[in-house]
Structures are given as C-alpha cells and as structure tokens.
Amino acid sequence: MSYTEVPGAQVPIRMWTDPAAVEGVAMQQLRNVATLPWIKGLAVMPDVHYGKGATVGSVIAMRGAVCPAAVGVDIGCGMSAVRTSLTANDLPGDLSRLRSKIEQAIPVGRGMHDAPVDPGRLHGLATAGWEDFWARFDGVADAVRFRRERAVKQMGSLGGGNHFWEFCLDTDDSVWIMLHSGSRNIGKELAEYHMGVAQKLPQNQGLVDRDLAVFISDTPQMAAYRNDLFWAQEYAKHNREIMMALSQDVIRREFKKARVTFGEVISCHHNYVAEEQYDGMDLLVTRKGAIRAGGGEYGIIPGSMGTGSYIVKGLGNPASFNSASHGAGRKMSRTAAKKRFSTRDLEEQTRGVECRKDSGVIDEIPGAYKPIEKVMEQQRDLVEVVAHLKQVVCVKG
C-alpha cells in the first residue's frame, strides 16, 4: 500500500497503515508530535503502537532540534543477522543443547559477563578503534560515568524484554543467526538523564506533552546530548558485534565437523538519530521502532518468537524518509498479554521452536503482536524481501 495522509498541526502525518486501526493513545501521540514547531515531516510505519514519550513506529524529521523521547531509552537498539553455511540437514533433532550453550555464552536479562569480553580473542572481530571508543566514555554525562564497570561487563549481553537471539531457517533451508539488542543499561541511563535535562529548558515550557521536550542546535545541551547519543549508538553496534562473534564461536564448536563459514553480517539500528538531507534541508531524522531503508540498503524486520522474520532491501522511498518498520509491533501491552494468555497458549503458539515456554515470557507470546505478514504487505513500497526466515531456536531475555 502507499501511505494515507492525516492532517497535522505543522505537517501532515503520513501513515503506512489504516489510521482507524491505530490505538487512540498512539494517534494522540502522533498528533502531539506534529505540533512541534521544529518538525519538517512525520512518517508512521505499519507496526505503529503506543510508546513511552513518543510513538513506536514513528519517523520524525526535525530541523535544528531533536527530541530524546523520540529515540527512546534503548538508544541504538537494533538487529544483526548472518547466513551460515549450515543447512537444515546439519541440525540435530534436539536443539536444547544449542540453546543452553548460547545462554552460557551470552548473558540474558539483567546479566553481564563476569569479566569484560576481550574482542581480540574473538575470531574475525575487528578491534580497530576499540580503545578510542572506551576513552570517549570519559566525555559522557558526569551523572552516569560511575556506571563504567557495569557498561564494560554488559558489552556482549542480550538484555530482557523483547530482545532475543535466534537460529533460523530460510526458504532454501539455509541456517541464519539473528539477534536483537541495544545499548543495555548505560544507554537507558544516558537517555533518561538527557530527557530530564531537556524538560527543564525554556523552549520546552508549555509544550502539549512534556515528554516531547527537545534540544536545540548550537546549544551546549544539544552538544552534550549528541555526544552521548552517538556514543551510545556505537555501544549498541559493538554490543551486537560481540554477541554475533560469541555466537559464531559457539556454532563452530557445536558443528565442528561441518566446518561452518559465515556470510557478511547485516546490522541495523531501529532506535536512533541520523543526520540526513531531504528537499535540500539538513535534518535530524529520529527513527523509534523503524529502520533506514535507503535504496539497496539491507535491513532486518523480525516477527514475534513463534512466527517469521524478513531480510529486506530498502526501496529508498523519500516519502517515508527512506524508512520501514522495525518488526511486527505489539497489538497489546505486556500487562494485557499476561492477563489474556497462559503457558499453554505459549506452548501452542511456539510449537516447533526450541525456546522458553514459562510464565516469564508470556508477555512476548506471538498473540501479543501484529501479524508480520500484514505489516510486510503494508510496506511493499518501502522494502523488497530478500529472505524469509523462520526460527527454530529462540533465546529470550
């Protein structure tokens, strides 16, 4: 489908979904964003749903300003995926051992490594710039600098919520590794600190929603936020790189006879800010629950833990600011999912997938998410499908 345009106070709201199907609180959030005086465009992805501060599944283009809540607290959260030389025929009938080995190698939930991961010992992982990256931590906000030890030990860890690691098969029976994570606790603390700073600034008094507080270009507060934001986005990228390298080490050991090789890793943020140009204007484009889908650029759009996921190529649609959805998108809150579904429902909906099937992950049950096939159908003018994946192992935080 092409987009539907809904009137907004400063700019029209371009929606790659039926506006009538969007929950009322999310629609109000979008209308609030469209009142910001700095906004130059607002695109809404088919996986749109209510989020803290700003709507998940929204792409906000502003000139000379950026809204921290429109990035979210998991700065740089995103996906990585790689195709392996393994095929379905190489897999054992019982995949529980593999899941256990991955859970041993990659801490989940609030966990962290006992000692910092040395990237130099990981096969094929580039280490150039690693020392400089950590040296730049000394320049982040004083309020979170004391978290360095935790940040170092959480590098290479999955986290909780909707973060996951998966072993998948594509339609040709090739095996893929796919994972979803971000900047862990350090990104959250940086985000919350700067949101608090923004809400006290003069330009943000009287906004329709205080969560939409912005930083303005050429101010010390904007400079400080950009420094910490881009550092956290880099942390998230490195975090996924280390987990992918740890995963590959596990796969090499578990499938030693197969002499496994790996293709080029695809990686994309879906909670982040980028400096981009549209209509001759330099804009700050915030994607919260959206990936960049420039012409020919690879991206990853996952479904829920019992459905499928997609490797895609962007079509470079400027109407969406070269963006596409970041996944299936929730259709009910975590609280509602826990009330609605049981562990028996979870077992049924994840049949054939080696994964947790206990009450601790009911909020991630496939039934709590929108159908990924419909989401893909609604963005045919944003991406083309390269590969359709179905998980056979899912590790949840």
Side-chain angles (χ1 to χ4, degrees):
M1 66 174 284
S2 58
Y3 63 88
T4 300
E5 209 164 80
V6 174
Q10 297 285 341
V11 294
I13 305 170
R14 300 171 185 164
M15 306 189 69
W16 273 261
T17 189
D18 177 5
V22 179
E23 55 191 328
V25 285
M27 198 68 217
Q28 187 57 55
Q29 281 187 322
L30 295 168
R31 294 189 188 281
N32 291 345
V33 169
T35 68
L36 295 175
W38 309 274
I39 194 164
K40 296 299 177 183
L42 175 57
V44 181
M45 301 296 101
D47 58 343
V48 61
H49 60 279
Y50 175 79
K52 180 173 171 51
T55 323
V56 178
S58 61
V59 182
I60 303 168
M62 290 200 281
R63 191 172 191 181
V66 67
C67 171
V71 184
V73 294
D74 195 355
I75 298 171
C77 185
M79 301 288 305
S80 292
V82 67
R83 184 167 60 187
T84 78
S85 59
L86 295 170
T87 68
N89 290 333
D90 294 311
L91 303 183
D94 183 358
L95 289 164
S96 60
R97 174 185 163 91
L98 176 61
R99 176 163 76 97
S100 177
K101 292 295 183 182
I102 291 294
E103 290 171 343
Q104 291 170 26
I106 300 174
V108 301
R110 295 184 179 181
M112 63 187 82
H113 293 277
D114 294 333
V117 176
D118 177 6
R121 73 172 180 82
L122 295 176
H123 184 87
L125 184 65
T127 58
W130 192 253
E131 291 184 6
D132 175 66
F133 166 74
W134 281 112
R136 285 190 282 116
F137 183 78
D138 293 335
V140 304
D142 291 343
V144 301
R145 211 174 295 159
F146 74 100
R147 295 293 194 187
R148 180 184 179 116
E149 182 180 359
R150 184 175 184 179
V152 171
K153 289 184 177 181
Q154 281 196 326
M155 177 68 80
S157 65
L158 194 64
N162 62 357
H163 293 166
F164 63 79
W165 181 99
E166 289 182 345
F167 221 34
C168 306
L169 295 175
D170 65 18
T171 51
D172 294 325
D173 276 349
S174 290
V175 175
W176 290 66
I177 302 171
M178 185 167 68
L179 58 88
H180 172 210
S181 191
S183 53
R184 303 298 285 109
N185 187 68
I186 193 65
K188 174 180 179 291
E189 298 220 0
L190 285 168
E192 290 176 343
Y193 167 76
H194 285 288
M195 287 177 190
V197 171
Q199 288 178 354
K200 298 173 184 175
L201 296 175
Q203 71 265 15
N204 296 315
Q205 307 314 306
L207 290 178
V208 65
D209 182 351
R210 69 192 299 267
D211 283 332
L212 296 179
V214 303
F215 291 115
I216 302 295
S217 292
D218 302 319
T219 63
Q221 295 89 355
M222 171 68 109
Y225 177 61
R226 285 169 63 106
N227 176 76
D228 294 1
L229 168 77
F230 291 133
W231 183 88
Q233 288 179 183
E234 195 172 340
Y235 180 104
K237 180 174 178 287
H238 287 316
N239 185 40
R240 292 194 295 273
E241 287 173 343
I242 287 182
M243 282 190 286
M244 185 60 77
L246 290 169
S247 301
Q248 291 181 8
D249 280 354
V250 171
I251 302 308
R252 287 188 187 95
R253 290 194 300 270
E254 291 299 299
F255 298 91
K256 187 174 292 186
K257 291 182 179 179
R259 299 181 180 274
V260 188
T261 58
F262 302 91
E264 187 173 347
V265 176
I266 301 166
S267 184
C268 59
H269 291 323
H270 55 223
N271 284 3
Y272 75 113
V273 178
E275 298 166 326
E276 299 177 4
Q277 191 175 76
Y278 296 92
D279 298 326
M281 288 187 292
D282 292 324
L283 301 176
L284 287 165
V285 178
T286 302
R287 296 182 176 91
K288 182 177 183 178
I291 62 171
R292 180 173 163 85
E297 295 177 355
Y298 282 96
I300 306 164
I301 303 177
S304 61
M305 64 190 285
T307 59
S309 299
Y310 293 86
I311 307 297
V312 299
K313 267 189 185 178
L315 297 178
N317 190 329
S320 71
F321 299 99
N322 292 321
S323 304
S325 80
H326 83 311
R330 297 192 73 90
K331 67 180 182 183
M332 66 178 68
S333 70
R334 295 184 181 280
T335 300
K338 289 177 181 177
K339 290 180 179 178
R340 166 69 178 81
F341 297 107
S342 66
T343 53
R344 182 175 295 180
D345 295 322
L346 181 63
E347 291 169 3
E348 180 63 32
Q349 293 182 29
T350 58
R351 192 178 302 280
V353 181
E354 170 58 45
C355 65
R356 287 178 60 186
K357 301 179 191 284
D358 57 80
S359 59
V361 292
I362 284 180
D363 55 343
E364 282 294 302
I365 192 170
Y369 284 83
K370 298 176 182 179
I372 186 64
E373 295 81 11
K374 183 175 181 180
V375 169
M376 297 303 297
E377 174 66 22
Q378 290 175 316
Q379 56 186 338
R380 285 183 301 166
D381 60 337
L382 303 182
V383 294
E384 62 176 326
V385 174
V386 175
H388 181 198
L389 312 183
K390 176 68 174 71
Q391 67 272 73
V392 291
V393 178
C394 177
V395 173
K396 275 284 184 186

